């Protein structure tokens, strides 16, 4: 069975089905969405069972699509793709369970969420540049509508900015893809597996550099790397809860995934030339993101900026892996760490945005100054968000610690100074989260918050699986690392 | 030339007739339409439309039959080219023309010259096909004349509408002046070659003074560029689209424009082989200017028809990229042809929605689209799909078109043009979203009650939408077609 | 016609042609403008004759006389002040258009004079009119037929636009929108 | 004596005069006259080329025929339009046609 | 043995979970759990004394070799484990009583037990990776426990400060780990320091981490803030165990730190010992006095580790753990009596609560190094070890004098004739029992010196007459100064009350710049970067709107120039009126009249202008093609 194809197509079919449903079936969209997402996750779990961590790119499914361009429906997995797919599928399941817009989940919302899921999985699994790009852009469209339909007050501005800005990112990627495909030996091809093996644009000349930069700018905007990040806070603040969860949890990973898959694997020489500048940009993201986050008073904006910080670590790791002076072990460490950080950040930040959404629906504010003493009326909520906070600041035993540690270990091998300075970021994030915790959750409880209800069942069902995974990955990171095993696919 | 020569020529020309069957079908369509319009009673005038639509489809079918059965040929002593480019244009004209008949029918039903309108439309299509097939200066001039004159007539169809009058008159004067300029240029080509045969011009160009070639080429380009509404020959476009009946605007935005572009793609390489006098660069710059100004101008529009007019100008810029690349890359013509197909169906879909909205609300500014999503989800879906396709969002047809023209540009060494096109694509997203956003996000307000679009319009809506998606998702057949739609060599 | 004969006809002819053409746009009378245009294009026919294209010259004279008469009629019908009695100005943007037109004309003329044109090997006579027939009936037959179709639809279209009432007399003003 | 450049230059001046009419006239029919002159210049060009460069080129003569046809047809359609406009607006002045803008 | 290792780490965790769910009987469950969890540690101690060693490790990060996590049983770890487990047991037992009236008692007790789990992990860790993991967890749990009284502002603030300070110092541990791995390819204990810069990073990093955790100057401020937590927490975390982890780290990393890093640590410790004593003398709150005393004593342990080796430091660690924990627990009892810990409030509390006073006295005598109490012997060992190092010796002696002084000062206040007699609070029995045990231990632990040194395999410097004499003289001087009512100069007193300005310094050097940078960055981000993006968008729109102007003015200007050349003489005057000024006025009128729809002026609607522009466009195309041809 083509399980990968099934995993991609099930959500898309579900989207089509829900979109076509008559409006009077009120409960159906939620049921269809949940089952489509669940079955898709199941297909991925089956793939895990069939997966051989040591074999690199594998389980390739290929079907003719546009032979004259050598475009095909090519799906395949390696450790990174599979791990990210699993994480995305879980987040999507949680997002669908929580829902967006009016309750119960409406047709449009279900269709959008499912198509976003399908596109995301297709992106991670794509081994064909055409499909890769199609999926890359489809996520934009779906997210645009999620923000535009159910966002906050300035949703139009935010949605437009998001769409425009990330389209600015995606189009250079398209140019890069074209340049890569044209430079393949013989006929142009969009086959990513072949392009990764042949590496038609070798060396670090002007042409290779331009192609590299085209891809880099695109992925940098998506990631986002400072200074390409300004769309992120606007989009996050205005997006609905689920939109933020998926944006931070899943969509940001598209950028770093692309950096690894394309820039690192297909343009290694050019990347080596730019490795240090890229790493410095990553370092800038780490420090700058943390500093800006520290000054935020809106909890959601704060978390949005910490995403810049956390993704900065990933960028440093990828750049380190691309540098020439790095040992193979450190390279594997860096990329393992980068992928694990993507997973961990997805789960942790997803959980955090859910938490922010919970409080926003209750208190209708996210201002740290207005909140306070929430631990008392909402002890469960408080403990869980504290756990998520600690996870996000990289506390050992929680998922981001092994990721960041591996990143530091890998990057230290390439540039000790960069890694050492990057470590300072963990202090800054600690400051950010502890102060947020102190201001919003501890201290005296104002009268108006004394009666806030604690989490209900639906919210717990949404949140707990994510946090359980965060703990599990933190205690036993090999849960993911054995799957990722970047050493086997990273030449 | 002797009588015996004449005899032989007559034999040859009679033998050539089967290749002319698609053109013949359109001639019959037009001529019989006049007769039908005269004999049929008023309430049966719709039959003329059915006949013309059918004949259009028949022309497309015959084009396919010629392609499969007979292959390509230079017929009628080299004045007419029946090659992939011409046959594909015939196909586009046939299908798009039939769709436009469907668009026009609701507007025309019951008016006093309905039958004649269809006849003129058929004649216009005939002119478009011949313009794209002509390899002779005189034929080119007269074909442009037919195409232009019939366009003026259709634009001025609503004789009581002052706006229609104005549009028609402006179009008329602009068109005749441009035509005169082109004819003046063609006389110089005759002066170079001593014959109106463009292939002979191509042979003579190498020995001709550069100044003559440059000046005459520029003058010839004027006539075709005005048809394709390239900047700076675009000034008529928004006013005419705005003033003309909307179905006519839809027709004008597709058929004459594509005919003009395909004529450019045939005439330039034929008369100026091997990129003589560097015309590809000039065309590339023209493309850049066209798309940039078109997009910038569209940004400022609040009338959706004018917006689409500027959008069509910008799209002509993208199409022109294929022409600019055709001497440097084998992908140039296929890119142009594919983009033309995609553009045709997409633009017709977009106009279909605008027509439907205009019929319901009697206005086409942005507010007229407010709340469309609630009242007419399918129209809105068409609107979104078609506009996003015009942006070039995958997997819609416009995306594959953009992919093709970008590839062609990069392959032809015009990467800078691709970069400009990318920037333009981002700009274009902005104004397309300006239409989509109120349709999806706003509430209808105090609009008149929802109506249905009527059967022909609905049919066109759904067909064009389906094509917009299908041409992109199942691009292979059309890419196959496009790859073979190159002009015959005329050494 | 000999070179001298040609010159004798050409120079005055060209001068008259250009002068009348220019005066078309300098007069304030519509009717006069039409007649001047007729004169200009008629003289052009004479130039054709002088340049050894007898067939075309005659044809030009015939066509233009017919066409320009019609045009004059139209002018009288639709122009304000056809006789130019009020001396109204029918121009706009005079300086810019004049300077632009002068620039274009001068540029084209200079270009015409300075370019090294291909010259005929023999300074022969004009093409046999029969050759034109062969051309029309042979290589350019399609173009010729196509011109016919164009004429047909120009007529149909011109009538459609010009005749306001419909064929269906009862609802003569039947434009729905 | 007369030579090809002379004919072409005369044609160029004629073209320029036509262009002047097109650009400078406010009345539709006057503009049409300008177009006629531009086309006339084209014909003169063709005839000049045939006389001095390509005496055997019958296709040039045919092209002249086509240009003449175009002149006539454009005039025909133009008149139809002018009538239509005049009926609605009682004017054929182009400067009055500025409703469509922006 | 492996099983016991894991048991001693995991049992407290299980106990914590059970306690959390136990409800009203949480105290019993917690006590049982803590007792159960102490058993493996004691068994291991016995086994270790018999020469037993064990390591249980597993690969944690498979990407590269050498990144294992695991636990180890060796002399050092087992001594620490026993100390932690025993003090922990006593404190948990005590806390059962201390929190008797607290509705969130299960959470508090579970927190203590969870901390025990992490602390055992820390001391039993095998390799720096595992150490780092538990090191950080301990810090986080500490913050959580400090913030237990979350409604009071001091608790959360102190927790934040504690966590941030220690985490900042932990950067050192991270960097040391990275440098060690890069240099030696392993993160196991016992490897040699790499050469060059990597070695320097290892040394600095480890010392920095130890300083942070052990609240050494200038990072000592957080410990005072941590006193906002409940007293059992202060007793367990902030005196006996967690803060001692820094000393443990130094001892554990002895091989890595030989040479200048230990020298640095020694100086830091010596200075802190004096500074802590000075600060302790100036505090007006019992717990803060004890906190400052803790930093001082930890400083002595640093000196011990640097000068005398593992046995000296660990000996003092163990002795201090018992004594200081007893002091804190007594303080907690006073706190219950008088509902506060400020010295003013506690004046005479010892007379009301004799049991607490007795415990306090035992602990104080030990910490003040009065023979034969435990800390006398251990501190004497430090003095003896420092004999070879005049600077350290002097500072140690000053610190010893200070120790005697501040404890005596507090004792005198506690024993002062009370203005009001308040009875001891009931329910003291469990608390007194637990605290008393520790007090008793602080008496007896002086005997463990020799066995400890045997177990650790490290020399304990022989106690010399000189060292004993010096110690005693120092203590005597300190006590005498208090008894004679000697007052410090005002400046010193003020400085001491302000924690010797270390906090202020940190605030100005670190906190304020970071906060400023953060605000600056946020503003930059919001106004400049994002503003630039938005401005670009607006600019594009404006360009679109201005396009008509370009057409109107740019192209017109070109035409005008041509026209001027042709017709200047004839109609200069008229042209000016009709052309330029009219155009200008028209343009102005249009721009005012349609300011609302400014963007829609692309097309004038005037055909002749279109045509004119088209002709110009044609010219442009000619030029374009000509240029292309030339190029």
């Amino acid at each position: 069975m083509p399980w990968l194809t099934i995993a991609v197509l099930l959500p898309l079919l579900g989207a089509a089905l829900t979109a076509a449903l008559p409006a009077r079936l009120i409960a159906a969209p939620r049921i269809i969405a949940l089952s489509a997402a669940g079955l898709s996750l199941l297909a991925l779990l089956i793939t895990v069972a069939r997966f051989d961590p040591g074999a690199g790119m594998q389980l390739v499914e290929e079907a003719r699509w546009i032979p004259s361009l050598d475009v095909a429906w090519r799906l395949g997995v390696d450790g990174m793709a599979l791990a990210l797919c699993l994480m995305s599928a879980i987040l999507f399941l949680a997002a669908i369970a929580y829902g967006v817009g009016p309750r119960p989940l409406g047709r449009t919302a279900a269709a959008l969420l499912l198509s976003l899921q399908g596109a995301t999985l297709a992106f991670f699994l794509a081994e064909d540049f055409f499909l890769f790009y199609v999926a890359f852009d489809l996520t934009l469209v779906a997210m645009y509508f999620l923000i535009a339909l159910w966002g906050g007050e300035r949703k139009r501005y935010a949605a437009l900015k998001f769409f425009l800005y990330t389209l600015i990112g995606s189009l250079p990627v398209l140019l890069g893809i074209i340049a890569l495909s044209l430079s393949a030996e013989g006929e142009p091809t969009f086959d990513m597996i072949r392009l990764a093996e042949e590496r038609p644009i070798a060396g670090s000349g002007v042409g290779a550099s331009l192609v590299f930069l085209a891809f880099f700018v695109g992925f940098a905007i998506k990631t986002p790397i400072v200074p390409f990040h300004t769309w992120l806070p606007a989009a996050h603040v205005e997006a609905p809860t689920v939109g933020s969860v998926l944006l931070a949890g899943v969509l940001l990973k598209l950028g770093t995934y692309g950096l690894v898959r394309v820039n690192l694997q297909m343009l290694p020489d050019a990347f080596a030339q730019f490795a240090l500048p890229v790493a410095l940009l990553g370092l800038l993201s780490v420090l700058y993101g943390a500093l800006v986050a520290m000054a935020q008073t809106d909890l959601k904006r704060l978390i949005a900026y910490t995403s810049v910080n956390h993704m900065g670590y990933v960028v440093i790791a990828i750049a380190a892996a691309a540098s020439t002076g790095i040992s193979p072990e450190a390279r594997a460490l860096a990329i393992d760490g980068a992928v694990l950080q993507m997973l961990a950040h997805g789960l942790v930040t997803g959980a955090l945005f859910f938490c922010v959404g919970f409080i926003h629906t209750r208190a209708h504010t996210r201002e740290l100054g207005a909140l306070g003493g929430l631990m008392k009326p909402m002890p469960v909520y408080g403990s869980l968000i504290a756990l998520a906070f600690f996870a996000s600041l990289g506390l050992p035993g929680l998922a981001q610690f092994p990721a960041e540690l591996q990143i530091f270990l890998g990057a230290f091998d390439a540039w000790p100074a960069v890694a050492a300075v990057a470590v300072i970021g963990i202090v800054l994030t600690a400051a950010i989260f502890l102060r947020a915790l102190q201001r919003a959750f501890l201290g005296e409880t104002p009268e108006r918050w004394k009666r806030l209800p604690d989490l209900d069942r639906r919210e717990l069902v949404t949140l707990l699986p994510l946090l359980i995974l965060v703990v599990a990955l933190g205690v036993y990171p090999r849960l993911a690392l054995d799957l990722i095993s970047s050493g086997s696919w990273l030449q | 030339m002797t009588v015996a020569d004449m005899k032989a020529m007559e034999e040859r020309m009679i033998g050539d007739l089967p290749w002319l069957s698609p053109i013949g079908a359109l001639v019959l369509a037009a001529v019989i339409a006049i007769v039908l319009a005269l004999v049929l009673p008023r309430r049966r005038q719709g039959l003329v439309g059915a006949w013309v639509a059918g004949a259009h489809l028949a022309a497309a079918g015959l084009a396919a039959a010629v392609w499969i059965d007979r292959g390509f040929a230079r017929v009628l002593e080299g004045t007419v080219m029946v090659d992939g480019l011409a046959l594909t244009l015939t196909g586009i004209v046939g299908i798009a023309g039939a769709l436009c008949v469907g668009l026009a029918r609701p507007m025309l039903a019951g008016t006093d010259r309905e039958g004649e309108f269809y006849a003129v439309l058929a004649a216009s299509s005939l002119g478009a096909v011949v313009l794209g097939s002509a390899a002779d200066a005189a034929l080119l001039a007269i074909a442009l004349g037919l195409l232009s004159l019939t366009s003026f007539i259709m634009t001025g169809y609503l004789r009581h509408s002052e706006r229609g009058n104005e549009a028609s008159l402006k179009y008329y004067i602009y068109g005749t002046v441009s035509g005169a300029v082109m004819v003046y240029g063609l006389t110089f080509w005759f002066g170079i070659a001593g014959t109106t045969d463009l292939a002979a011009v191509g042979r003579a160009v190498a020995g001709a003074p550069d100044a003559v070639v440059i000046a005459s080429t520029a003058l010839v380009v004027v006539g075709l560029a005005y048809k394709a509404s390239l900047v700076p020959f675009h000034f008529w476009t928004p006013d005419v689209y705005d003033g003309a009946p909307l179905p006519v605007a839809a027709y004008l935005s597709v058929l004459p424009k594509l005919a003009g572009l395909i004529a450019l793609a045939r005439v330039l390489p034929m008369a100026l082989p091997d990129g003589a006098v560097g015309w590809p660069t000039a065309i590339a710059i023209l493309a850049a200017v066209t798309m940039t100004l078109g997009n910038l101008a569209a940004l400022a529009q609040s009338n959706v028809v004018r917006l689409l007019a500027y959008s069509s100008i910008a799209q002509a810029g993208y199409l022109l990229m294929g022409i600019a690349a055709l001497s440097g890359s084998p992908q140039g013509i296929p890119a142009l042809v594919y983009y033309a197909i995609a553009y045709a169906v997409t633009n017709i879909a977009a106009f279909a929605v605008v027509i439907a909205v205009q019929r319901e609300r009697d206005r086409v500014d942005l507010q007229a689209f407010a709340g469309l999503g609630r009242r007419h989800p399918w129209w809105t879906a068409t609107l979104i799909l078609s506009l996003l396709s015009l942006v070039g969002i995958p997997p819609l047809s416009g995306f594959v078109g953009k992919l093709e023209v970008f590839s062609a540009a990069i392959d032809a060494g015009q990467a800078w043009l691709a970069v400009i096109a990318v920037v333009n694509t981002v700009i274009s997203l902005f104004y397309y979203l300006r239409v989509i956003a109120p349709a999806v996000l706003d509430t209808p307000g105090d609009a008149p009650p929802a109506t249905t679009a009527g059967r022909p319009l609905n049919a066109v809506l759904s067909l064009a939408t389906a094509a917009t998606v299908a041409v992109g998702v199942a691009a292979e057949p059309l890419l196959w077609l496009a790859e073979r739609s190159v002009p015959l060599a005329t050494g | 016609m000999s070179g001298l004969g040609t010159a004798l006809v050409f120079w005055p002819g060209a001068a008259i042609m250009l002068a009348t053409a220019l005066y078309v746009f300098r007069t304030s009378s519509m009717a006069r403008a039409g007649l001047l245009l007729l004169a200009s294009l008629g003289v052009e026919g004479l130039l054709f004759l002088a340049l050894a294209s007898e067939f075309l010259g005659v044809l030009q004279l015939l066509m233009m006389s017919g066409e320009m008469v019609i045009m004059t009629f139209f002018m009288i019908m639709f122009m304000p002040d056809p006789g130019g009695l009020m001396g109204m100005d029918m121009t706009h943007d005079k300086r810019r258009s004049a300077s632009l037109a002068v620039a274009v004309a001068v540029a084209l003329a200079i270009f015409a004079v300075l370019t090294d044109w291909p010259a005929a090997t023999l300074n022969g006579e004009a093409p046999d009119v029969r050759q034109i027939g062969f051309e029309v009936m042979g290589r350019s037959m399609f173009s010729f037929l196509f011109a016919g179709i164009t004429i047909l639809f120009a007529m149909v279209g011109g009538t459609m636009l010009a005749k306001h009432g419909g064929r269906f007399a009862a609802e003569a003003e039947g434009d729905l929108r | 004596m007369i030579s090809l450049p002379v004919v072409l230059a005369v044609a160029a001046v004629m073209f320029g005069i036509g262009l002047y009419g097109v650009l400078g006239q406010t009345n539709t029919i006057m503009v049409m006259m300008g177009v006629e002159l531009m086309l006339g210049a084209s014909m003169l060009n063709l005839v000049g080329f045939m006389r001095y460069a390509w005496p055997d080129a019958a296709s040039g003569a045919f092209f002249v025929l086509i240009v003449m046809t175009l002149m006539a047809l454009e005039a025909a359609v133009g008149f139809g339009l002018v009538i239509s406009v005049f009926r609605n607006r009682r004017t054929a002045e182009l400067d009055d046609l500025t409703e469509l803008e922006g | 043995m492996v099983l016991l290792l894991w048991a001693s780490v995991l049992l407290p965790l299980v106990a914590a979970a059970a306690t959390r769910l136990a409800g009203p009987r949480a105290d019993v469950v917690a006590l049982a759990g803590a007792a159960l969890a102490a058993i493996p540690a004691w068994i291991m101690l016995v086994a270790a004394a018999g020469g037993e060693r064990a390591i249980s490790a597993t690969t944690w990060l498979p990407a590269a070799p050498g990144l294992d996590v695991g636990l180890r049983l060796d002399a050092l770890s087992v001594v620490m484990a026993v100390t932690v487990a025993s003090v922990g047991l006593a404190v948990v037992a005590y806390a059962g009583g201390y929190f008797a009236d607290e509705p969130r008692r299960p959470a508090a007790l579970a927190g203590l037990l969870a901390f025990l789990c992490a602390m055992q992990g820390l001391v039993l860790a095998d390799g720096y990776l595992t150490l780092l993991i538990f090191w950080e967890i301990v810090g986080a749990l500490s913050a959580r426990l400090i913030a237990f009284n979350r409604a009071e502002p001091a608790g959360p603030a102190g927790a934040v400060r504690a966590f941030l300070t220690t985490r900042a110092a932990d950067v050192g541990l991270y960097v040391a780990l990275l440098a060690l791995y890069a240099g030696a390819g392993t993160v196991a204990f016992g490897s040699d320091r790499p050469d060059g810069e990597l070695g320097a990073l290892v040394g600095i990093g480890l010392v920095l981490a130890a300083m942070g955790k052990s609240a050494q100057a200038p990072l000592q401020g957080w410990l005072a803030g941590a006193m906002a937590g409940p007293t059992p927490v202060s007793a367990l975390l902030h005196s006996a165990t967690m803060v001692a982890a820094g000393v443990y780290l130094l001892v554990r990393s002895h091989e890595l730190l030989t040479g200048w890093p230990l020298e640095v640590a020694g100086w830091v410790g010596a200075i802190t010992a004096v500074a802590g004593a000075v600060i302790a003398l100036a505090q007006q709150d019992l717990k803060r006095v004890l906190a400052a005393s803790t930093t001082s004593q930890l400083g002595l342990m640093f000196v011990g580790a640097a000068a005398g080796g593992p046995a000296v430091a660990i000996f003092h660690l163990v002795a201090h753990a018992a004594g200081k924990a007893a002091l804190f627990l007594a303080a907690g009892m006073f706190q219950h009596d008088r509902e506060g810990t400020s010295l003013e409030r506690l004046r005479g509390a010892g007379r009301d609560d004799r049991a607490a006073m007795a415990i306090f006295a035992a602990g104080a005598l030990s910490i003040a190094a009065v023979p034969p109490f435990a800390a006398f012997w251990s501190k004497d060992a430090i003095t003896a070890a420092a004999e070879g190092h005049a600077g350290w010796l002097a500072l140690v002696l000053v610190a010893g004098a200070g120790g005697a002084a501040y404890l005596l000062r507090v004792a005198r206040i506690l024993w002062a004739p009370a203005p009001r007699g308040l009875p001891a609070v009931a329910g003291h029995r469990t608390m007194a029992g637990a605290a008393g045990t520790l007090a008793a231990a602080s008496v007896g632990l002086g005997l463990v010196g020799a066995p400890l040194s045997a177990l650790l395999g490290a020399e304990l410097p022989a106690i010399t007459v000189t060292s004993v004499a010096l110690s005693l003289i120092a203590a005597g001087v300190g006590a005498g100064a208090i008894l004679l009512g000697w007052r410090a100069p005002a400046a010193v007193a003020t400085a001491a009350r302000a924690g010797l300005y270390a906090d202020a310094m940190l605030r100005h050097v670190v906190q304020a710049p970071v906060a400023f940078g953060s605000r600056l960055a946020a503003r930059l981000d919001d106004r400049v970067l994002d503003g630039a993006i938005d401005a670009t968008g607006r600019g594009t729109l404006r360009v679109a709107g201005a396009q008509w102007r370009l057409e109107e003015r740019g192209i017109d200007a070109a035409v005008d120039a041509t026209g001027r050349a042709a017709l200047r003489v004839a109609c200069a005057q008229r042209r000016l009126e009709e052309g330029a000024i009219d155009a200008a006025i028209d343009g102005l009128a249009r721009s005012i009249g349609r300011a609302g729809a400014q963007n829609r002026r692309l097309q004038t609607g005037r055909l002749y202008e279109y045509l004119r522009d088209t002709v110009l466009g044609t010219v442009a195309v000619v030029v374009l093609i000509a240029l292309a041809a030339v190029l």
Side-chain angles (χ1 to χ4, degrees), chain E residues 222-616:
Chain E
W222 70 265
L223 193 58
M227 292 302 123
T231 306
V233 172
S234 308
L236 182 58
L237 278 69
H238 304 119
S239 68
T241 55
M242 185 186 84
V243 288
V247 180
Y248 168 74
L249 181 66
L250 288 185
V251 172
R252 180 54 89 185
S253 312
H254 217 259
E255 294 88 344
L256 276 175
L257 297 176
T258 40
W260 61 264
L262 275 183
E263 191 88 356
V264 172
W267 275 109
V268 167
I271 292 167
T272 311
V274 175
V278 171
I279 293 169
L281 274 169
Q283 294 304 315
Q284 299 301 324
D285 182 289
L286 177 55
K287 285 181 76 176
R288 284 179 176 255
V289 172
L290 295 180
S293 151
T294 304
T295 45
S296 170
Q297 297 296 324
L298 290 167
L300 291 179
M301 292 179 217
F302 269 48
V303 177
V312 181
I314 294 298
F315 185 22
H316 192 54
L317 192 157
V318 173
H320 169 256
K324 189 53 70 59
L327 281 174
F328 265 109
L329 296 187
M333 292 164 76
F334 291 132
Q335 183 185 13
H336 267 218
D337 294 340
R338 294 284 171 95
E339 293 174 342
T341 53
S342 76
L343 287 175
E344 198 47 49
R345 196 179 268 267
L346 293 182
R347 182 171 293 277
R351 288 183 189 266
D352 295 338
D353 191 344
R354 305 278 164 129
M357 191 64 208
I359 295 163
F360 188 89
L365 287 173
S366 171
I367 299 299
V370 175
F373 291 91
F376 167 76
W377 304 107
S378 56
K379 197 193 238 164
D380 200 59
I382 292 171
T383 317
E387 261 174 20
H389 202 303
W392 294 356
L393 180 63
L395 289 170
V396 166
L397 291 175
V398 173
Y406 60 70
L407 285 171
L408 185 58
R409 167 175 169 253
V410 172
R412 274 166 48 118
I413 292 173
L414 287 174
W415 198 249
R420 50 183 173 153
L422 286 173
V425 172
H428 260 177
R429 204 167 308 139
T430 36
M431 293 163 74
T437 318
L438 281 176
S442 74
V443 178
L445 276 176
L447 301 174
V448 304
L452 195 62
S453 93
L455 183 63
L456 293 174
E459 287 289 309
L460 207 55
I463 294 170
T464 60
V465 179
T466 340
S467 71
V468 173
L470 284 174
S471 296
L472 286 176
I473 291 167
V477 168
I482 289 298
L483 290 174
L484 294 175
W486 177 79
R487 294 228 171 273
V492 176
T494 317
R497 228 169 277 131
L500 295 181
Y501 301 124
D503 279 0
M505 188 188 76
L506 283 181
R507 201 159 50 240
H508 285 118
V509 174
V510 181
Q511 220 172 322
V514 169
F516 176 73
S518 151
R519 279 196 303 277
L520 195 69
R523 202 162 307 155
L524 175 85
D525 203 66
D526 224 38
R527 308 249 169 98
V528 182
L529 283 187
D530 207 29
I533 302 287
D534 284 354
T536 314
R538 275 198 300 277
T540 313
L541 284 179
R542 211 167 291 147
V543 168
Q547 201 175 322
W548 71 273
R549 245 175 284 146
L550 197 119
E551 280 179 12
E552 290 263 293
R553 303 208 182 134
I555 298 177
D556 284 3
V559 180
D560 282 348
T562 325
R564 218 172 291 130
L567 302 161
R568 185 190 295 160
V569 184
C571 10
Q573 185 59 36
R574 258 183 78 204
R575 198 198 65 76
L576 204 76
E577 275 173 30
E578 286 183 6
I581 297 179
D582 272 6
I585 292 173
D586 279 1
L588 193 65
R590 277 199 303 270
S591 29
I592 293 168
R594 299 183 201 157
Q598 195 190 43
N599 288 334
R600 296 185 48 230
R601 303 283 194 64
L602 289 155
Q603 295 240 320
T604 58
R606 267 170 297 184
L607 186 63
Y608 70 93
E609 292 186 351
Y610 298 175
L611 288 168
R612 194 187 62 216
D613 295 347
T614 302
V615 173
L616 290 169

